[in-house]
């Protein structure tokens, strides 16, 4: 994919057991941070943008729109694991929100899950 070479400021992997559990956990993290994510498409990432957006499936995004994404959601949505990557070259607000949301995630995760 064209975004594979972009450096990430945040990389998270969700490994919850059960159908859709990892995907829903990733969605909750994105929602808590103020991010929007694109529609799912088998074998392709979902684009992530900071703010309230409707994002098309990856196949319907132009190359320029893919490059404008602040991050990507990848993995097996149904059975997991699911990964979130927020790019280092994303907008300053997106980077700030992602890193702040990670601090919250660490502070609330007392079981080491």
């Amino acid at each position: 994919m064209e975004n594979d070479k972009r450096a990430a400021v945040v990389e998270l992997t969700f490994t919850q057991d059960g159908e859709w559990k990892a995907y829903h956990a990733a969605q909750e993290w994105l929602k808590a941070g103020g991010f929007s994510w694109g529609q799912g498409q088998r074998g392709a990432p979902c684009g992530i943008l900071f703010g309230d957006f409707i994002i098309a499936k990856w196949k319907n995004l132009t190359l320029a729109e893919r490059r404008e994404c602040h991050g990507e959601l990848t993995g097996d949505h149904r059975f997991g694991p699911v990964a979130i990557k927020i790019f280092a070259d994303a907008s300053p607000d997106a980077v700030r929100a992602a890193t702040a949301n990670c601090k919250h995630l660490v502070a609330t995760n007392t079981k080491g899950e």
Side-chain angles (χ1 to χ4, degrees):
M1 299 271 153
E2 47 282 331
N3 286 333
D4 287 347
K5 293 180 173 62
R6 292 172 71 184
V9 68
V10 171
E11 289 186 79
L12 299 169
T13 302
F14 296 83
T15 59
Q16 288 78 355
D17 289 331
E19 287 187 55
W20 306 106
K21 299 285 186 182
Y23 180 62
H24 290 155
Q27 287 178 318
E28 287 301 315
W29 186 88
L30 289 167
K31 189 184 312 179
F35 289 90
S36 300
W37 59 94
Q39 297 179 24
Q41 174 188 330
R42 181 183 295 264
C46 298
I48 295 173
L49 288 169
F50 179 66
D52 187 18
F53 294 94
I54 297 172
I55 305 169
K57 289 183 178 186
W58 195 254
K59 69 180 181 179
N60 295 326
L61 295 176
T62 66
L63 186 57
E65 290 169 331
R66 291 177 183 184
R67 289 183 181 144
E68 290 172 5
C69 288
H70 296 147
E72 293 178 349
L73 173 67
T74 59
D76 184 335
H77 294 185
R78 187 166 186 174
F79 297 109
V82 175
I84 291 175
K85 182 189 282 189
I86 304 297
F87 301 123
D89 62 358
S91 72
D93 288 339
V95 170
R96 198 169 18 262
T99 54
N101 204 23
C102 282
K103 291 175 187 170
H104 172 74
L105 183 66
V106 171
T108 60
N109 185 9
T110 58
K111 294 183 181 178
E113 296 173 356

